[in-house]
Amino acid sequence: MESTAHLRHLRMSPRKLSLVAALIRGKPVEAALNILKFTPRAAARPVEKLIKSAVANATDLSKGQVDVDTLYVKTISVDQAATQRRFMPRAMGRATPIQKKSAHVHVVLADSKK
């Protein structure tokens, strides 16, 4: 059985999020949550909440029949979302563009077949 969770329009760079996502890809859920708990990057907190949400979706879909200890992170993907474009005033009347990037994160949890 598979369960999914999506985090959309997170105001964080996809490049920073993909570093954290690579740490937990393919790991059991319990190990992934421990890794995220002790990862000092800011991107670890929203990804941790997303994994917990996917676990809650799995227990809700199966009506409590799924064993949470057997779940693992099957796939986790980070995609770029819409970019906010701003301008910063600079010297001599110039302006430089600022791009505030955001991301979509999708996670799929599945049962491990042992």
Side-chain angles (χ1 to χ4, degrees), residues 66-96:
V66 71
D67 186 14
V68 178
D69 297 332
T70 63
L71 290 176
Y72 75 101
V73 181
K74 184 176 179 182
T75 61
I76 182 166
S77 64
V78 179
D79 302 322
Q80 186 164 349
T83 301
Q84 297 177 359
R85 289 174 176 84
R86 301 289 185 261
F87 292 94
M88 177 181 278
R90 301 305 294 260
M92 295 189 286
R94 295 188 178 104
T96 58

mmCIF file of all heavy atoms in Angstrom, residues 66-96:
data_model
loop_
_atom_site.group_PDB
_atom_site.id
_atom_site.type_symbol
_atom_site.label_atom_id
_atom_site.label_comp_id
_atom_site.label_asym_id
_atom_site.label_seq_id
_atom_site.Cartn_x
_atom_site.Cartn_y
_atom_site.Cartn_z
ATOM 1 N N VAL A 66 -2.300 -0.549 8.598
ATOM 2 C CA VAL A 66 -0.908 -0.524 8.170
ATOM 3 C C VAL A 66 0.011 -0.446 9.387
ATOM 4 O O VAL A 66 -0.304 0.200 10.382
ATOM 5 C CB VAL A 66 -0.647 0.658 7.205
ATOM 6 C CG1 VAL A 66 -0.692 1.983 7.920
ATOM 7 C CG2 VAL A 66 0.665 0.482 6.486
ATOM 8 N N ASP A 67 1.131 -1.153 9.322
ATOM 9 C CA ASP A 67 2.132 -1.089 10.373
ATOM 10 C C ASP A 67 3.108 0.033 10.023
ATOM 11 O O ASP A 67 3.793 -0.033 9.002
ATOM 12 C CB ASP A 67 2.863 -2.429 10.483
ATOM 13 C CG ASP A 67 3.805 -2.468 11.660
ATOM 14 O OD1 ASP A 67 3.703 -1.578 12.531
ATOM 15 O OD2 ASP A 67 4.643 -3.383 11.718
ATOM 16 N N VAL A 68 3.166 1.060 10.856
ATOM 17 C CA VAL A 68 3.974 2.237 10.575
ATOM 18 C C VAL A 68 5.460 1.875 10.541
ATOM 19 O O VAL A 68 6.244 2.501 9.837
ATOM 20 C CB VAL A 68 3.686 3.340 11.623
ATOM 21 C CG1 VAL A 68 4.543 4.567 11.391
ATOM 22 C CG2 VAL A 68 2.214 3.719 11.588
ATOM 23 N N ASP A 69 5.847 0.831 11.275
ATOM 24 C CA ASP A 69 7.260 0.448 11.324
ATOM 25 C C ASP A 69 7.751 -0.129 10.000
ATOM 26 O O ASP A 69 8.956 -0.174 9.755
ATOM 27 C CB ASP A 69 7.488 -0.575 12.437
ATOM 28 C CG ASP A 69 7.170 0.017 13.804
ATOM 29 O OD1 ASP A 69 7.309 1.244 13.951
ATOM 30 O OD2 ASP A 69 6.781 -0.744 14.708
ATOM 31 N N THR A 70 6.846 -0.597 9.141
ATOM 32 C CA THR A 70 7.265 -1.185 7.866
ATOM 33 C C THR A 70 7.266 -0.185 6.719
ATOM 34 O O THR A 70 7.652 -0.540 5.610
ATOM 35 C CB THR A 70 6.350 -2.360 7.483
ATOM 36 O OG1 THR A 70 5.022 -1.865 7.292
ATOM 37 C CG2 THR A 70 6.360 -3.438 8.543
ATOM 38 N N LEU A 71 6.846 1.053 6.960
ATOM 39 C CA LEU A 71 6.813 2.059 5.900
ATOM 40 C C LEU A 71 8.213 2.582 5.608
ATOM 41 O O LEU A 71 9.039 2.713 6.514
ATOM 42 C CB LEU A 71 5.914 3.233 6.293
ATOM 43 C CG LEU A 71 4.422 2.971 6.361
ATOM 44 C CD1 LEU A 71 3.709 4.209 6.860
ATOM 45 C CD2 LEU A 71 3.888 2.563 5.015
ATOM 46 N N TYR A 72 8.472 2.870 4.336
ATOM 47 C CA TYR A 72 9.723 3.501 3.941
ATOM 48 C C TYR A 72 9.438 4.566 2.895
ATOM 49 O O TYR A 72 8.365 4.589 2.289
ATOM 50 C CB TYR A 72 10.733 2.473 3.420
ATOM 51 C CG TYR A 72 10.443 1.944 2.036
ATOM 52 C CD1 TYR A 72 11.140 2.425 0.939
ATOM 53 C CD2 TYR A 72 9.478 0.977 1.819
ATOM 54 C CE1 TYR A 72 10.884 1.949 -0.335
ATOM 55 C CE2 TYR A 72 9.218 0.498 0.555
ATOM 56 C CZ TYR A 72 9.922 0.985 -0.524
ATOM 57 O OH TYR A 72 9.657 0.518 -1.779
ATOM 58 N N VAL A 73 10.382 5.469 2.703
ATOM 59 C CA VAL A 73 10.232 6.562 1.748
ATOM 60 C C VAL A 73 10.539 6.003 0.369
ATOM 61 O O VAL A 73 11.695 5.814 0.003
ATOM 62 C CB VAL A 73 11.173 7.732 2.097
ATOM 63 C CG1 VAL A 73 10.991 8.865 1.098
ATOM 64 C CG2 VAL A 73 10.935 8.222 3.506
ATOM 65 N N LYS A 74 9.486 5.737 -0.389
ATOM 66 C CA LYS A 74 9.670 5.159 -1.729
ATOM 67 C C LYS A 74 10.239 6.200 -2.690
ATOM 68 O O LYS A 74 11.256 5.969 -3.334
ATOM 69 C CB LYS A 74 8.347 4.616 -2.254
ATOM 70 C CG LYS A 74 8.463 3.916 -3.581
ATOM 71 C CD LYS A 74 7.139 3.322 -3.994
ATOM 72 C CE LYS A 74 7.258 2.641 -5.349
ATOM 73 N NZ LYS A 74 5.968 2.106 -5.775
ATOM 74 N N THR A 75 9.570 7.330 -2.788
ATOM 75 C CA THR A 75 10.066 8.427 -3.614
ATOM 76 C C THR A 75 9.845 9.748 -2.890
ATOM 77 O O THR A 75 8.866 9.905 -2.163
ATOM 78 C CB THR A 75 9.372 8.510 -4.984
ATOM 79 O OG1 THR A 75 7.981 8.738 -4.775
ATOM 80 C CG2 THR A 75 9.586 7.262 -5.802
ATOM 81 N N ILE A 76 10.755 10.663 -3.111
ATOM 82 C CA ILE A 76 10.575 12.043 -2.663
ATOM 83 C C ILE A 76 11.159 12.920 -3.758
ATOM 84 O O ILE A 76 12.288 12.714 -4.202
ATOM 85 C CB ILE A 76 11.218 12.312 -1.286
ATOM 86 C CG1 ILE A 76 10.956 13.746 -0.856
ATOM 87 C CG2 ILE A 76 12.678 11.975 -1.262
ATOM 88 C CD1 ILE A 76 11.255 14.020 0.595
ATOM 89 N N SER A 77 10.355 13.846 -4.247
ATOM 90 C CA SER A 77 10.802 14.698 -5.347
ATOM 91 C C SER A 77 10.570 16.164 -4.991
ATOM 92 O O SER A 77 9.616 16.511 -4.302
ATOM 93 C CB SER A 77 10.072 14.354 -6.641
ATOM 94 O OG SER A 77 8.700 14.616 -6.507
ATOM 95 N N VAL A 78 11.472 16.989 -5.466
ATOM 96 C CA VAL A 78 11.402 18.435 -5.243
ATOM 97 C C VAL A 78 11.350 19.105 -6.606
ATOM 98 O O VAL A 78 12.222 18.883 -7.444
ATOM 99 C CB VAL A 78 12.624 18.929 -4.448
ATOM 100 C CG1 VAL A 78 12.547 20.428 -4.244
ATOM 101 C CG2 VAL A 78 12.734 18.214 -3.116
ATOM 102 N N ASP A 79 10.317 19.890 -6.831
ATOM 103 C CA ASP A 79 10.135 20.607 -8.092
ATOM 104 C C ASP A 79 10.096 22.102 -7.826
ATOM 105 O O ASP A 79 9.695 22.541 -6.756
ATOM 106 C CB ASP A 79 8.836 20.182 -8.770
ATOM 107 C CG ASP A 79 8.772 18.699 -9.036
ATOM 108 O OD1 ASP A 79 9.814 18.125 -9.392
ATOM 109 O OD2 ASP A 79 7.685 18.122 -8.861
ATOM 110 N N GLN A 80 10.465 22.870 -8.833
ATOM 111 C CA GLN A 80 10.427 24.318 -8.698
ATOM 112 C C GLN A 80 9.012 24.826 -8.906
ATOM 113 O O GLN A 80 8.302 24.381 -9.809
ATOM 114 C CB GLN A 80 11.373 24.978 -9.692
ATOM 115 C CG GLN A 80 11.469 26.472 -9.486
ATOM 116 C CD GLN A 80 12.661 27.081 -10.180
ATOM 117 O OE1 GLN A 80 13.522 26.368 -10.639
ATOM 118 N NE2 GLN A 80 12.694 28.391 -10.237
ATOM 119 N N ALA A 81 8.609 25.757 -8.059
ATOM 120 C CA ALA A 81 7.295 26.393 -8.167
ATOM 121 C C ALA A 81 7.483 27.794 -8.744
ATOM 122 O O ALA A 81 8.553 28.123 -9.256
ATOM 123 C CB ALA A 81 6.641 26.453 -6.790
ATOM 124 N N ALA A 82 6.467 28.605 -8.660
ATOM 125 C CA ALA A 82 6.524 29.960 -9.202
ATOM 126 C C ALA A 82 7.569 30.790 -8.466
ATOM 127 O O ALA A 82 7.766 30.644 -7.263
ATOM 128 C CB ALA A 82 5.162 30.628 -9.083
ATOM 129 N N THR A 83 8.243 31.649 -9.204
ATOM 130 C CA THR A 83 9.276 32.507 -8.647
ATOM 131 C C THR A 83 8.743 33.920 -8.520
ATOM 132 O O THR A 83 8.187 34.471 -9.469
ATOM 133 C CB THR A 83 10.518 32.506 -9.561
ATOM 134 O OG1 THR A 83 10.996 31.175 -9.677
ATOM 135 C CG2 THR A 83 11.603 33.386 -9.007
ATOM 136 N N GLN A 84 8.907 34.504 -7.330
ATOM 137 C CA GLN A 84 8.537 35.904 -7.145
ATOM 138 C C GLN A 84 9.695 36.768 -7.616
ATOM 139 O O GLN A 84 10.839 36.542 -7.223
ATOM 140 C CB GLN A 84 8.259 36.192 -5.669
ATOM 141 C CG GLN A 84 7.108 35.449 -5.094
ATOM 142 C CD GLN A 84 6.939 35.737 -3.612
ATOM 143 O OE1 GLN A 84 7.703 36.495 -3.009
ATOM 144 N NE2 GLN A 84 5.935 35.132 -3.025
ATOM 145 N N ARG A 85 9.400 37.743 -8.431
ATOM 146 C CA ARG A 85 10.453 38.606 -8.944
ATOM 147 C C ARG A 85 10.346 39.987 -8.292
ATOM 148 O O ARG A 85 9.307 40.638 -8.350
ATOM 149 C CB ARG A 85 10.355 38.705 -10.464
ATOM 150 C CG ARG A 85 10.771 37.400 -11.115
ATOM 151 C CD ARG A 85 10.549 37.395 -12.599
ATOM 152 N NE ARG A 85 11.044 36.162 -13.167
ATOM 153 C CZ ARG A 85 10.354 35.023 -13.208
ATOM 154 N NH1 ARG A 85 9.134 34.967 -12.693
ATOM 155 N NH2 ARG A 85 10.870 33.939 -13.751
ATOM 156 N N ARG A 86 11.435 40.404 -7.669
ATOM 157 C CA ARG A 86 11.506 41.697 -6.998
ATOM 158 C C ARG A 86 12.733 42.435 -7.530
ATOM 159 O O ARG A 86 13.598 41.841 -8.158
ATOM 160 C CB ARG A 86 11.654 41.521 -5.476
ATOM 161 C CG ARG A 86 10.526 40.738 -4.829
ATOM 162 C CD ARG A 86 9.247 41.570 -4.822
ATOM 163 N NE ARG A 86 8.177 40.900 -4.104
ATOM 164 C CZ ARG A 86 7.200 40.216 -4.671
ATOM 165 N NH1 ARG A 86 7.185 40.087 -5.976
ATOM 166 N NH2 ARG A 86 6.243 39.683 -3.972
ATOM 167 N N PHE A 87 12.822 43.709 -7.240
ATOM 168 C CA PHE A 87 13.969 44.507 -7.649
ATOM 169 C C PHE A 87 14.525 45.251 -6.452
ATOM 170 O O PHE A 87 13.773 45.751 -5.621
ATOM 171 C CB PHE A 87 13.583 45.489 -8.764
ATOM 172 C CG PHE A 87 13.258 44.799 -10.050
ATOM 173 C CD1 PHE A 87 11.962 44.461 -10.375
ATOM 174 C CD2 PHE A 87 14.278 44.459 -10.928
ATOM 175 C CE1 PHE A 87 11.666 43.813 -11.553
ATOM 176 C CE2 PHE A 87 13.995 43.806 -12.100
ATOM 177 C CZ PHE A 87 12.688 43.479 -12.420
ATOM 178 N N MET A 88 15.855 45.309 -6.389
ATOM 179 C CA MET A 88 16.529 46.001 -5.308
ATOM 180 C C MET A 88 17.203 47.255 -5.883
ATOM 181 O O MET A 88 17.929 47.150 -6.876
ATOM 182 C CB MET A 88 17.586 45.096 -4.681
ATOM 183 C CG MET A 88 18.396 45.764 -3.591
ATOM 184 S SD MET A 88 19.641 44.667 -2.929
ATOM 185 C CE MET A 88 18.663 43.728 -1.795
ATOM 186 N N PRO A 89 16.952 48.414 -5.297
ATOM 187 C CA PRO A 89 17.608 49.624 -5.793
ATOM 188 C C PRO A 89 19.108 49.584 -5.510
ATOM 189 O O PRO A 89 19.535 49.142 -4.447
ATOM 190 C CB PRO A 89 16.922 50.748 -5.020
ATOM 191 C CG PRO A 89 16.289 50.111 -3.859
ATOM 192 C CD PRO A 89 16.040 48.690 -4.198
ATOM 193 N N ARG A 90 19.886 50.042 -6.489
ATOM 194 C CA ARG A 90 21.340 50.052 -6.350
ATOM 195 C C ARG A 90 21.864 51.446 -6.669
ATOM 196 O O ARG A 90 21.087 52.384 -6.899
ATOM 197 C CB ARG A 90 21.966 49.020 -7.305
ATOM 198 C CG ARG A 90 21.515 47.593 -7.098
ATOM 199 C CD ARG A 90 21.725 47.094 -5.683
ATOM 200 N NE ARG A 90 23.112 46.978 -5.304
ATOM 201 C CZ ARG A 90 23.788 45.853 -5.288
ATOM 202 N NH1 ARG A 90 23.213 44.723 -5.633
ATOM 203 N NH2 ARG A 90 25.049 45.849 -4.915
ATOM 204 N N ALA A 91 23.136 51.560 -6.726
ATOM 205 C CA ALA A 91 23.762 52.867 -6.915
ATOM 206 C C ALA A 91 23.467 53.440 -8.301
ATOM 207 O O ALA A 91 23.242 52.716 -9.262
ATOM 208 C CB ALA A 91 25.277 52.745 -6.734
ATOM 209 N N MET A 92 23.471 54.756 -8.398
ATOM 210 C CA MET A 92 23.308 55.514 -9.639
ATOM 211 C C MET A 92 21.987 55.214 -10.348
ATOM 212 O O MET A 92 21.923 55.135 -11.567
ATOM 213 C CB MET A 92 24.501 55.262 -10.577
ATOM 214 C CG MET A 92 25.803 55.787 -9.999
ATOM 215 S SD MET A 92 27.161 55.752 -11.156
ATOM 216 C CE MET A 92 27.528 54.034 -11.205
ATOM 217 N N GLY A 93 20.923 54.980 -9.574
ATOM 218 C CA GLY A 93 19.599 54.800 -10.151
ATOM 219 C C GLY A 93 19.350 53.456 -10.792
ATOM 220 O O GLY A 93 18.340 53.267 -11.468
ATOM 221 N N ARG A 94 20.241 52.521 -10.622
ATOM 222 C CA ARG A 94 20.050 51.187 -11.207
ATOM 223 C C ARG A 94 19.211 50.308 -10.287
ATOM 224 O O ARG A 94 19.005 50.620 -9.115
ATOM 225 C CB ARG A 94 21.408 50.522 -11.445
ATOM 226 C CG ARG A 94 22.256 51.236 -12.478
ATOM 227 C CD ARG A 94 23.494 50.418 -12.788
ATOM 228 N NE ARG A 94 24.278 51.064 -13.816
ATOM 229 C CZ ARG A 94 25.382 51.731 -13.599
ATOM 230 N NH1 ARG A 94 25.848 51.873 -12.369
ATOM 231 N NH2 ARG A 94 26.046 52.278 -14.588
ATOM 232 N N ALA A 95 18.774 49.206 -10.843
ATOM 233 C CA ALA A 95 18.035 48.216 -10.056
ATOM 234 C C ALA A 95 18.527 46.832 -10.457
ATOM 235 O O ALA A 95 18.783 46.575 -11.634
ATOM 236 C CB ALA A 95 16.540 48.336 -10.305
ATOM 237 N N THR A 96 18.657 45.947 -9.477
ATOM 238 C CA THR A 96 19.060 44.566 -9.790
ATOM 239 C C THR A 96 17.923 43.634 -9.418
ATOM 240 O O THR A 96 17.225 43.841 -8.419
ATOM 241 C CB THR A 96 20.319 44.152 -9.012
ATOM 242 O OG1 THR A 96 20.079 44.294 -7.618
ATOM 243 C CG2 THR A 96 21.504 44.986 -9.403
#
